[in-house]
Amino acid sequence: MWMDYGPKTQVALIKALQKELNKQFNKKLVVDGKWGVKTKDAIVTVEKGAKCNLT
């Protein structure tokens, strides 16, 4: 993966991100801690007009 963290930390970080995307942007992601196409697409969509505490 792109980070130098252990696998449990990576999963926890991705889960937290997925939860926050669901909460703030109603992205309806499955909170599984996996960096998949849907999570990546949700990030790209948010970055274009982000005005929140994710940035």
Side-chain angles (χ1 to χ4, degrees), residues 15-33:
K15 280 184 176 182
L17 175 62
Q18 290 167 330
K19 286 179 186 177
E20 202 61 28
L21 287 166
N22 287 340
K23 179 180 171 185
Q24 291 192 33
F25 301 101
N26 196 29
K27 291 295 181 175
K28 300 177 183 170
L29 297 170
V30 175
V31 180
D32 58 5

